[in-house]
Amino acid sequence: MSHDIRTAPGADAEVVVVGAGPVGLWLAAELRLRGVSVLVLEKSTARDPRSRAVGMQAGTLDTFVTRGVAERFLERGIPVPTGHFGAAGTRLDFRGVGAVHPFSLALDQFVTEQLLEERATSMGAELRREQELVSLTQDEEGVELVVRAGGRHLTLHTGWVVGCDGTRSTVRGAAGIDFPGSGSTLTGWLADVVLEDRPEEPLMARGPAGMVLSAPLGDGLYRIAGISTATMRHGTGAPLTLAEVRERTRAVVGHDLGMHAPRWLSQYGNATRQAATYRSGRVLLAGDAAHMFFPAGGQGMNVGIQDAANLGWKLAATVRGRAAATLLDSYDTERRPAAAAVMENTRAQAALFAADTPEQVALRDVFSEALAQPETNRLWARRVAGFGDPRHATAPAADGTPAHPLAGTRLAGLALRSGTTAGTAPHTLLHDGTMVLLDLDGRHTPRIGAADCDDVAQHAAAVDHEATAAPWHDITSVLIRPDARIAWASTDRDPRRRAQGVAAVVRDMLGEGRRPAAA
């Protein structure tokens, strides 16, 4: 292989995203929505036909609703109204999480990536396959990357780099970011196979030999996953065979479901790690490059999509001079605790999955009983579905009034009357990626000063109180960020005081001295 170093003409972009998985592609689309030039580098020649993620949680579907693309995924997937926590006997009910689509979606990751690639490239993102990052260096002005492509090494220049390149992230290593955590102590297995004996409901079986779960992928294909008591401490070892999968399934279920025509067989561990920081200067991390954990409850891809949703508008605002550096700093402070919370619940689920002593089995049974209580079930359904992130820190109002409890949470549980500006889902107001000031009391908040309001679109709507969760009933105005997080909420009936409050929040969030929107 030649080691010539040359600069690829026209390769420069304002942001280079490394990795064309779901996280990198959604981030690219979010950046393009705001006019940022994006180059996506992917070392593989084509999309991986194996589906590492087969579940799309309600939280991800809500994110897609905010950009008007959820229907594309709904048309291809299979709704699943319940989920599980560590194979506990009581299933999680997603109907009470406050989502626009209150269910998870069984959908092949190959299809998810296809749809996301179509969106990103149709918006102007450039995707280059068979281009592998070798190294990067950065200074105050930008980042230089060396990329291996077509037998040569190319040099690319960009303002920012985002590593969405998986748990073995080259970007993370090149930026010198540590990845502390724990190694695997437990091994699970999965098989994507065709079933002749198809379960009518999602299969969840457990016994002394272990546990087995199933999820439909369409066209008779199913994801069968499990933990086998006899082999769960052996490590990944030799490649898994179909005969072993049949044997392990029979040991728990009693028969092998008539499985055949395997598309993918794999074993995986419960290593749990998180990047020491999600940002080092002009280099950032998202998705599996920033965190890894046991694939329990289908949360991995969904956490990564939320990383991209959070980072996209903040990085674009920084690139465009629309925000001070403090806004981009908040990406790390908001998303690290969110991933840490998921890491904690997947550790707990791994312990429940692997229950094999009488004490561990009793613990799982007790937890299952606790999940039968509606409030406990709703709590964990919200967390698994992507609505239970730790509340973002929010400052008190200028007059010292504490921030409303909704501030810092995710938009959920608010329904608007049909025929109002947003129909029934306020998420539809976010299609262009602009912050939204939504007045709910019939009296418009006065337009705030030009220096503050050019980042905010203002709408009025009437609340459908019967379909709306209690925390929203007294809200008069709410400021919704582009990633559908609540930046500010007020119960004040005085429109002028509300105007002062929202202006202060916008200034505090974006910082002083930013360029006007037309720049």
Side-chain angles (χ1 to χ4, degrees):
M1 174 176 290
S2 169
H3 289 275
D4 298 339
I5 302 295
R6 62 186 179 88
T7 301
D12 297 36
E14 289 173 300
V15 177
V16 169
V17 174
V18 181
V23 177
L25 292 169
W26 186 250
L27 176 61
E30 287 291 278
L31 293 168
R32 286 301 304 145
L33 185 63
R34 298 161 181 85
V36 175
S37 60
V38 183
L39 172 61
V40 182
L41 302 178
E42 171 56 50
K43 66 181 180 180
S44 66
T45 59
R47 286 188 296 274
D48 191 339
R50 303 170 301 177
S51 279
R52 300 186 183 279
V54 297
M56 182 178 293
Q57 291 294 354
T60 296
L61 283 170
D62 267 22
T63 294
F64 293 162
V65 172
T66 66
R67 302 298 183 256
V69 298
E71 290 300 324
R72 303 179 192 178
F73 299 87
L74 292 169
E75 290 170 356
R76 305 286 294 273
I78 302 170
V80 182
T82 63
H84 68 87
F85 190 96
T90 303
R91 292 186 66 83
L92 302 175
D93 186 349
F94 294 133
R95 291 174 297 180
V97 302
V100 178
H101 298 291
F103 47 78
S104 64
L105 195 69
L107 183 64
D108 194 315
Q109 184 175 323
F110 181 87
V111 176
T112 298
E113 290 184 8
Q114 177 188 19
L115 295 174
L116 292 177
E117 182 178 326
E118 290 172 358
R119 174 170 170 79
T121 56
S122 70
M123 296 177 71
E126 182 181 2
L127 170 59
R128 296 184 181 179
R129 291 192 177 275
E130 297 185 82
Q131 299 212 1
E132 181 179 6
L133 178 67
V134 175
S135 64
L136 63 82
T137 56
Q138 64 169 312
D139 56 30
E140 294 181 358
E141 301 300 320
V143 188
E144 181 179 277
L145 304 91
V146 176
V147 177
R148 184 182 296 112
R152 292 181 177 273
H153 283 66
L154 313 178
T155 300
L156 309 180
H157 298 276
T158 185
W160 301 83
V161 172
V162 185
C164 303
D165 51 341
T167 58
R168 295 181 175 87
S169 172
T170 302
V171 173
R172 188 183 64 235
I177 299 174
D178 197 13
F179 199 42
S182 57
S184 289
T185 59
L186 179 71
T187 300
W189 54 267
L190 65 84
D192 290 348
V193 292
V194 176
L195 298 184
E196 294 300 331
D197 185 6
R198 303 174 187 179
E200 294 182 2
E201 301 289 341
L203 175 68
M204 185 173 68
R206 61 187 188 275
M211 52 77 56
V212 172
L213 304 171
S214 76
L217 300 179
D219 298 326
L221 190 69
Y222 281 74
R223 163 69 53 86
I224 307 297
I227 291 179
S228 299
T229 306
T231 61
M232 65 184 181
R233 308 295 181 188
H234 292 179
T236 54
L240 187 65
T241 68
L242 181 60
E244 289 173 320
V245 173
R246 286 171 170 160
E247 179 184 354
R248 294 175 185 183
T249 303
R250 282 195 298 267
V252 177
V253 181
H255 56 108
D256 65 13
L257 306 174
M259 64 179 67
H260 63 95
R263 178 182 294 183
W264 186 32
L265 306 173
S266 182
Q267 298 187 99
Y268 54 88
N270 64 330
T272 302
R273 300 183 182 278
Q274 186 174 36
T277 179
Y278 285 15
R279 179 187 179 190
S280 176
R282 290 177 170 270
V283 179
L284 300 108
L285 304 175
D288 291 348
H291 40 69
M292 67 180 298
F293 41 80
F294 189 70
Q299 298 177 87
M301 181 185 73
N302 297 281
V303 174
I305 292 289
Q306 293 312 305
D307 291 344
N310 187 296
L311 177 58
W313 72 276
K314 294 177 179 178
L315 181 54
T318 302
V319 170
R320 288 284 174 259
R322 300 294 302 131
T326 50
L327 177 64
L328 193 54
D329 290 339
S330 71
Y331 169 63
D332 179 273
T333 58
E334 290 181 356
R335 292 309 300 163
R336 278 174 50 77
V342 174
M343 291 162 62
E344 182 177 47
N345 88 52
T346 55
R347 281 187 169 115
Q349 290 195 66
L352 297 180
F353 278 131
D356 62 344
T357 68
E359 293 78 12
Q360 292 168 336
V361 171
L363 176 62
R364 185 174 61 198
D365 291 343
V366 167
F367 190 78
S368 181
E369 183 178 351
L371 286 179
Q373 301 300 313
E375 285 304 308
T376 304
N377 194 292
R378 181 175 178 273
L379 169 68
W380 285 105
R382 282 180 55 81
R383 291 184 178 180
V384 170
F387 291 89
D389 291 347
R391 182 169 172 264
H392 298 164
T394 50
D399 62 1
T401 305
H404 191 278
L406 283 172
T409 67
R410 186 166 180 171
L411 176 61
L414 173 62
L416 306 178
R417 291 183 192 169
S418 298
T420 59
T421 302
T424 56
H427 300 69
T428 61
L429 296 173
L430 298 168
H431 283 185
D432 64 357
T434 302
M435 276 191 287
V436 168
L437 176 61
L438 183 58
D439 291 317
L440 299 172
D441 70 340
R443 292 182 290 179
H444 279 285
T445 298
R447 296 298 296 182
I448 53 181
D452 302 312
C453 73
D454 55 10
D455 291 290
V456 180
Q458 188 168 355
H459 301 273
V463 177
D464 181 347
H465 286 284
E466 291 186 4
T468 292
W472 288 98
H473 288 176
D474 296 327
I475 299 297
T476 54
S477 289
V478 58
L479 180 64
I480 308 170
R481 300 186 338 186
D483 58 349
R485 302 280 170 166
I486 306 303
W488 169 87
S490 176
T491 58
D492 199 321
R493 308 295 296 183
D494 186 323
R496 295 194 176 277
R497 284 199 300 266
R498 298 204 306 255
Q500 294 171 352
V502 72
V505 168
V506 172
R507 286 195 299 270
D508 182 66
M509 188 187 325
L510 300 183
E512 302 286 355
R514 61 193 188 278
R515 295 197 298 268

PDB file of all heavy atoms in Angstrom, residues 325-351:
ATOM      1  N   ALA A 325     -19.319  29.253  23.439  1.00  0.00           N
ATOM      2  CA  ALA A 325     -18.751  27.921  23.648  1.00  0.00           C
ATOM      3  C   ALA A 325     -19.454  27.147  24.752  1.00  0.00           C
ATOM      4  O   ALA A 325     -19.450  25.915  24.759  1.00  0.00           O
ATOM      5  CB  ALA A 325     -17.268  28.042  23.964  1.00  0.00           C
ATOM      6  N   THR A 326     -20.085  27.856  25.682  1.00  0.00           N
ATOM      7  CA  THR A 326     -20.744  27.177  26.805  1.00  0.00           C
ATOM      8  C   THR A 326     -21.881  26.266  26.335  1.00  0.00           C
ATOM      9  O   THR A 326     -22.191  25.273  26.987  1.00  0.00           O
ATOM     10  CB  THR A 326     -21.287  28.206  27.800  1.00  0.00           C
ATOM     11  OG1 THR A 326     -22.062  29.186  27.083  1.00  0.00           O
ATOM     12  CG2 THR A 326     -20.152  28.913  28.538  1.00  0.00           C
ATOM     13  N   LEU A 327     -22.521  26.600  25.209  1.00  0.00           N
ATOM     14  CA  LEU A 327     -23.605  25.743  24.722  1.00  0.00           C
ATOM     15  C   LEU A 327     -23.064  24.378  24.330  1.00  0.00           C
ATOM     16  O   LEU A 327     -23.631  23.346  24.704  1.00  0.00           O
ATOM     17  CB  LEU A 327     -24.312  26.386  23.531  1.00  0.00           C
ATOM     18  CG  LEU A 327     -25.430  25.529  22.908  1.00  0.00           C
ATOM     19  CD1 LEU A 327     -26.561  25.315  23.904  1.00  0.00           C
ATOM     20  CD2 LEU A 327     -25.949  26.157  21.619  1.00  0.00           C
ATOM     21  N   LEU A 328     -21.968  24.332  23.597  1.00  0.00           N
ATOM     22  CA  LEU A 328     -21.393  23.056  23.182  1.00  0.00           C
ATOM     23  C   LEU A 328     -20.850  22.283  24.389  1.00  0.00           C
ATOM     24  O   LEU A 328     -20.905  21.052  24.417  1.00  0.00           O
ATOM     25  CB  LEU A 328     -20.289  23.282  22.151  1.00  0.00           C
ATOM     26  CG  LEU A 328     -19.792  22.048  21.400  1.00  0.00           C
ATOM     27  CD1 LEU A 328     -20.943  21.295  20.749  1.00  0.00           C
ATOM     28  CD2 LEU A 328     -18.760  22.441  20.351  1.00  0.00           C
ATOM     29  N   ASP A 329     -20.360  22.999  25.389  1.00  0.00           N
ATOM     30  CA  ASP A 329     -19.910  22.324  26.609  1.00  0.00           C
ATOM     31  C   ASP A 329     -21.050  21.551  27.264  1.00  0.00           C
ATOM     32  O   ASP A 329     -20.832  20.522  27.908  1.00  0.00           O
ATOM     33  CB  ASP A 329     -19.348  23.345  27.612  1.00  0.00           C
ATOM     34  CG  ASP A 329     -18.020  23.943  27.168  1.00  0.00           C
ATOM     35  OD1 ASP A 329     -17.343  23.320  26.322  1.00  0.00           O
ATOM     36  OD2 ASP A 329     -17.675  25.028  27.667  1.00  0.00           O
ATOM     37  N   SER A 330     -22.281  22.051  27.105  1.00  0.00           N
ATOM     38  CA  SER A 330     -23.418  21.393  27.758  1.00  0.00           C
ATOM     39  C   SER A 330     -23.731  20.038  27.144  1.00  0.00           C
ATOM     40  O   SER A 330     -24.466  19.246  27.753  1.00  0.00           O
ATOM     41  CB  SER A 330     -24.663  22.295  27.690  1.00  0.00           C
ATOM     42  OG  SER A 330     -25.180  22.366  26.371  1.00  0.00           O
ATOM     43  N   TYR A 331     -23.200  19.745  25.945  1.00  0.00           N
ATOM     44  CA  TYR A 331     -23.409  18.416  25.369  1.00  0.00           C
ATOM     45  C   TYR A 331     -22.861  17.347  26.302  1.00  0.00           C
ATOM     46  O   TYR A 331     -23.534  16.348  26.603  1.00  0.00           O
ATOM     47  CB  TYR A 331     -22.750  18.333  23.991  1.00  0.00           C
ATOM     48  CG  TYR A 331     -22.678  16.925  23.445  1.00  0.00           C
ATOM     49  CD1 TYR A 331     -23.830  16.203  23.168  1.00  0.00           C
ATOM     50  CD2 TYR A 331     -21.442  16.308  23.206  1.00  0.00           C
ATOM     51  CE1 TYR A 331     -23.771  14.907  22.675  1.00  0.00           C
ATOM     52  CE2 TYR A 331     -21.374  15.019  22.706  1.00  0.00           C
ATOM     53  CZ  TYR A 331     -22.535  14.322  22.447  1.00  0.00           C
ATOM     54  OH  TYR A 331     -22.464  13.034  21.969  1.00  0.00           O
ATOM     55  N   ASP A 332     -21.648  17.532  26.786  1.00  0.00           N
ATOM     56  CA  ASP A 332     -21.043  16.553  27.698  1.00  0.00           C
ATOM     57  C   ASP A 332     -21.789  16.505  29.026  1.00  0.00           C
ATOM     58  O   ASP A 332     -22.100  15.420  29.537  1.00  0.00           O
ATOM     59  CB  ASP A 332     -19.572  16.906  27.923  1.00  0.00           C
ATOM     60  CG  ASP A 332     -18.880  15.943  28.877  1.00  0.00           C
ATOM     61  OD1 ASP A 332     -18.938  16.172  30.111  1.00  0.00           O
ATOM     62  OD2 ASP A 332     -18.292  14.958  28.406  1.00  0.00           O
ATOM     63  N   THR A 333     -22.108  17.663  29.579  1.00  0.00           N
ATOM     64  CA  THR A 333     -22.723  17.672  30.907  1.00  0.00           C
ATOM     65  C   THR A 333     -24.139  17.109  30.896  1.00  0.00           C
ATOM     66  O   THR A 333     -24.620  16.620  31.922  1.00  0.00           O
ATOM     67  CB  THR A 333     -22.743  19.097  31.491  1.00  0.00           C
ATOM     68  OG1 THR A 333     -23.457  19.973  30.602  1.00  0.00           O
ATOM     69  CG2 THR A 333     -21.326  19.625  31.673  1.00  0.00           C
ATOM     70  N   GLU A 334     -24.812  17.145  29.744  1.00  0.00           N
ATOM     71  CA  GLU A 334     -26.158  16.588  29.672  1.00  0.00           C
ATOM     72  C   GLU A 334     -26.167  15.119  29.274  1.00  0.00           C
ATOM     73  O   GLU A 334     -26.927  14.321  29.827  1.00  0.00           O
ATOM     74  CB  GLU A 334     -27.000  17.388  28.669  1.00  0.00           C
ATOM     75  CG  GLU A 334     -27.335  18.791  29.153  1.00  0.00           C
ATOM     76  CD  GLU A 334     -28.180  19.586  28.173  1.00  0.00           C
ATOM     77  OE1 GLU A 334     -28.454  19.076  27.069  1.00  0.00           O
ATOM     78  OE2 GLU A 334     -28.573  20.719  28.522  1.00  0.00           O
ATOM     79  N   ARG A 335     -25.351  14.734  28.312  1.00  0.00           N
ATOM     80  CA  ARG A 335     -25.439  13.377  27.786  1.00  0.00           C
ATOM     81  C   ARG A 335     -24.664  12.341  28.602  1.00  0.00           C
ATOM     82  O   ARG A 335     -25.042  11.161  28.611  1.00  0.00           O
ATOM     83  CB  ARG A 335     -24.975  13.343  26.327  1.00  0.00           C
ATOM     84  CG  ARG A 335     -25.883  14.074  25.367  1.00  0.00           C
ATOM     85  CD  ARG A 335     -27.338  13.673  25.503  1.00  0.00           C
ATOM     86  NE  ARG A 335     -27.524  12.240  25.256  1.00  0.00           N
ATOM     87  CZ  ARG A 335     -28.603  11.566  25.609  1.00  0.00           C
ATOM     88  NH1 ARG A 335     -29.603  12.173  26.246  1.00  0.00           N
ATOM     89  NH2 ARG A 335     -28.698  10.278  25.333  1.00  0.00           N
ATOM     90  N   ARG A 336     -23.609  12.733  29.281  1.00  0.00           N
ATOM     91  CA  ARG A 336     -22.882  11.743  30.091  1.00  0.00           C
ATOM     92  C   ARG A 336     -23.761  11.169  31.204  1.00  0.00           C
ATOM     93  O   ARG A 336     -23.812   9.947  31.386  1.00  0.00           O
ATOM     94  CB  ARG A 336     -21.593  12.340  30.654  1.00  0.00           C
ATOM     95  CG  ARG A 336     -20.434  12.325  29.654  1.00  0.00           C
ATOM     96  CD  ARG A 336     -19.212  13.049  30.195  1.00  0.00           C
ATOM     97  NE  ARG A 336     -18.848  12.603  31.520  1.00  0.00           N
ATOM     98  CZ  ARG A 336     -18.213  11.463  31.810  1.00  0.00           C
ATOM     99  NH1 ARG A 336     -17.875  10.645  30.830  1.00  0.00           N
ATOM    100  NH2 ARG A 336     -17.919  11.144  33.035  1.00  0.00           N
ATOM    101  N   PRO A 337     -24.481  11.991  31.971  1.00  0.00           N
ATOM    102  CA  PRO A 337     -25.370  11.410  32.991  1.00  0.00           C
ATOM    103  C   PRO A 337     -26.469  10.548  32.390  1.00  0.00           C
ATOM    104  O   PRO A 337     -26.889   9.561  32.989  1.00  0.00           O
ATOM    105  CB  PRO A 337     -25.952  12.641  33.702  1.00  0.00           C
ATOM    106  CG  PRO A 337     -24.999  13.747  33.418  1.00  0.00           C
ATOM    107  CD  PRO A 337     -24.454  13.474  32.054  1.00  0.00           C
ATOM    108  N   ALA A 338     -26.951  10.918  31.189  1.00  0.00           N
ATOM    109  CA  ALA A 338     -28.004  10.124  30.551  1.00  0.00           C
ATOM    110  C   ALA A 338     -27.501   8.724  30.231  1.00  0.00           C
ATOM    111  O   ALA A 338     -28.183   7.722  30.491  1.00  0.00           O
ATOM    112  CB  ALA A 338     -28.483  10.824  29.280  1.00  0.00           C
ATOM    113  N   ALA A 339     -26.301   8.632  29.660  1.00  0.00           N
ATOM    114  CA  ALA A 339     -25.734   7.317  29.353  1.00  0.00           C
ATOM    115  C   ALA A 339     -25.400   6.550  30.623  1.00  0.00           C
ATOM    116  O   ALA A 339     -25.572   5.327  30.686  1.00  0.00           O
ATOM    117  CB  ALA A 339     -24.494   7.467  28.480  1.00  0.00           C
ATOM    118  N   ALA A 340     -24.906   7.258  31.646  1.00  0.00           N
ATOM    119  CA  ALA A 340     -24.576   6.591  32.909  1.00  0.00           C
ATOM    120  C   ALA A 340     -25.804   5.942  33.526  1.00  0.00           C
ATOM    121  O   ALA A 340     -25.726   4.851  34.105  1.00  0.00           O
ATOM    122  CB  ALA A 340     -23.948   7.596  33.881  1.00  0.00           C
ATOM    123  N   ALA A 341     -26.969   6.588  33.395  1.00  0.00           N
ATOM    124  CA  ALA A 341     -28.204   6.017  33.926  1.00  0.00           C
ATOM    125  C   ALA A 341     -28.584   4.741  33.180  1.00  0.00           C
ATOM    126  O   ALA A 341     -29.044   3.764  33.780  1.00  0.00           O
ATOM    127  CB  ALA A 341     -29.335   7.042  33.835  1.00  0.00           C
ATOM    128  N   VAL A 342     -28.382   4.732  31.863  1.00  0.00           N
ATOM    129  CA  VAL A 342     -28.663   3.527  31.082  1.00  0.00           C
ATOM    130  C   VAL A 342     -27.674   2.424  31.435  1.00  0.00           C
ATOM    131  O   VAL A 342     -28.051   1.245  31.553  1.00  0.00           O
ATOM    132  CB  VAL A 342     -28.625   3.838  29.579  1.00  0.00           C
ATOM    133  CG1 VAL A 342     -28.774   2.561  28.762  1.00  0.00           C
ATOM    134  CG2 VAL A 342     -29.740   4.822  29.219  1.00  0.00           C
ATOM    135  N   MET A 343     -26.416   2.778  31.611  1.00  0.00           N
ATOM    136  CA  MET A 343     -25.414   1.788  32.012  1.00  0.00           C
ATOM    137  C   MET A 343     -25.818   1.120  33.321  1.00  0.00           C
ATOM    138  O   MET A 343     -25.674  -0.093  33.490  1.00  0.00           O
ATOM    139  CB  MET A 343     -24.050   2.460  32.139  1.00  0.00           C
ATOM    140  CG  MET A 343     -23.468   2.910  30.809  1.00  0.00           C
ATOM    141  SD  MET A 343     -22.147   4.150  30.955  1.00  0.00           S
ATOM    142  CE  MET A 343     -20.917   3.214  31.880  1.00  0.00           C
ATOM    143  N   GLU A 344     -26.351   1.911  34.245  1.00  0.00           N
ATOM    144  CA  GLU A 344     -26.760   1.359  35.534  1.00  0.00           C
ATOM    145  C   GLU A 344     -27.917   0.376  35.354  1.00  0.00           C
ATOM    146  O   GLU A 344     -27.909  -0.721  35.925  1.00  0.00           O
ATOM    147  CB  GLU A 344     -27.168   2.492  36.476  1.00  0.00           C
ATOM    148  CG  GLU A 344     -27.558   2.009  37.860  1.00  0.00           C
ATOM    149  CD  GLU A 344     -27.897   3.158  38.791  1.00  0.00           C
ATOM    150  OE1 GLU A 344     -28.659   4.055  38.375  1.00  0.00           O
ATOM    151  OE2 GLU A 344     -27.401   3.169  39.931  1.00  0.00           O
ATOM    152  N   ASN A 345     -28.923   0.745  34.536  1.00  0.00           N
ATOM    153  CA  ASN A 345     -30.069  -0.163  34.426  1.00  0.00           C
ATOM    154  C   ASN A 345     -29.726  -1.406  33.617  1.00  0.00           C
ATOM    155  O   ASN A 345     -30.294  -2.478  33.853  1.00  0.00           O
ATOM    156  CB  ASN A 345     -31.314   0.575  33.908  1.00  0.00           C
ATOM    157  CG  ASN A 345     -31.467   0.637  32.412  1.00  0.00           C
ATOM    158  OD1 ASN A 345     -31.413  -0.373  31.716  1.00  0.00           O
ATOM    159  ND2 ASN A 345     -31.691   1.837  31.894  1.00  0.00           N
ATOM    160  N   THR A 346     -28.783  -1.307  32.665  1.00  0.00           N
ATOM    161  CA  THR A 346     -28.411  -2.513  31.926  1.00  0.00           C
ATOM    162  C   THR A 346     -27.567  -3.452  32.779  1.00  0.00           C
ATOM    163  O   THR A 346     -27.646  -4.676  32.617  1.00  0.00           O
ATOM    164  CB  THR A 346     -27.665  -2.165  30.631  1.00  0.00           C
ATOM    165  OG1 THR A 346     -26.538  -1.332  30.923  1.00  0.00           O
ATOM    166  CG2 THR A 346     -28.574  -1.443  29.654  1.00  0.00           C
ATOM    167  N   ARG A 347     -26.785  -2.907  33.692  1.00  0.00           N
ATOM    168  CA  ARG A 347     -26.081  -3.772  34.649  1.00  0.00           C
ATOM    169  C   ARG A 347     -27.091  -4.547  35.498  1.00  0.00           C
ATOM    170  O   ARG A 347     -26.940  -5.753  35.733  1.00  0.00           O
ATOM    171  CB  ARG A 347     -25.166  -2.935  35.549  1.00  0.00           C
ATOM    172  CG  ARG A 347     -23.839  -2.526  34.929  1.00  0.00           C
ATOM    173  CD  ARG A 347     -22.959  -1.866  35.981  1.00  0.00           C
ATOM    174  NE  ARG A 347     -21.594  -1.679  35.522  1.00  0.00           N
ATOM    175  CZ  ARG A 347     -21.020  -0.481  35.334  1.00  0.00           C
ATOM    176  NH1 ARG A 347     -21.730   0.616  35.545  1.00  0.00           N
ATOM    177  NH2 ARG A 347     -19.775  -0.396  34.921  1.00  0.00           N
ATOM    178  N   ALA A 348     -28.115  -3.839  35.962  1.00  0.00           N
ATOM    179  CA  ALA A 348     -29.149  -4.500  36.769  1.00  0.00           C
ATOM    180  C   ALA A 348     -29.878  -5.558  35.950  1.00  0.00           C
ATOM    181  O   ALA A 348     -30.148  -6.667  36.440  1.00  0.00           O
ATOM    182  CB  ALA A 348     -30.131  -3.453  37.291  1.00  0.00           C
ATOM    183  N   GLN A 349     -30.186  -5.242  34.694  1.00  0.00           N
ATOM    184  CA  GLN A 349     -30.877  -6.219  33.855  1.00  0.00           C
ATOM    185  C   GLN A 349     -30.012  -7.443  33.592  1.00  0.00           C
ATOM    186  O   GLN A 349     -30.511  -8.569  33.559  1.00  0.00           O
ATOM    187  CB  GLN A 349     -31.288  -5.567  32.536  1.00  0.00           C
ATOM    188  CG  GLN A 349     -32.401  -4.549  32.681  1.00  0.00           C
ATOM    189  CD  GLN A 349     -33.013  -4.193  31.346  1.00  0.00           C
ATOM    190  OE1 GLN A 349     -33.631  -5.038  30.699  1.00  0.00           O
ATOM    191  NE2 GLN A 349     -32.860  -2.945  30.935  1.00  0.00           N
ATOM    192  N   ALA A 350     -28.713  -7.228  33.379  1.00  0.00           N
ATOM    193  CA  ALA A 350     -27.816  -8.363  33.156  1.00  0.00           C
ATOM    194  C   ALA A 350     -27.852  -9.311  34.348  1.00  0.00           C
ATOM    195  O   ALA A 350     -27.850 -10.541  34.193  1.00  0.00           O
ATOM    196  CB  ALA A 350     -26.396  -7.878  32.896  1.00  0.00           C
ATOM    197  N   ALA A 351     -27.879  -8.742  35.557  1.00  0.00           N
ATOM    198  CA  ALA A 351     -27.940  -9.579  36.761  1.00  0.00           C
ATOM    199  C   ALA A 351     -29.238 -10.381  36.807  1.00  0.00           C
ATOM    200  O   ALA A 351     -29.248 -11.560  37.190  1.00  0.00           O
ATOM    201  CB  ALA A 351     -27.806  -8.705  38.005  1.00  0.00           C
TER     202      ALA A 351
END
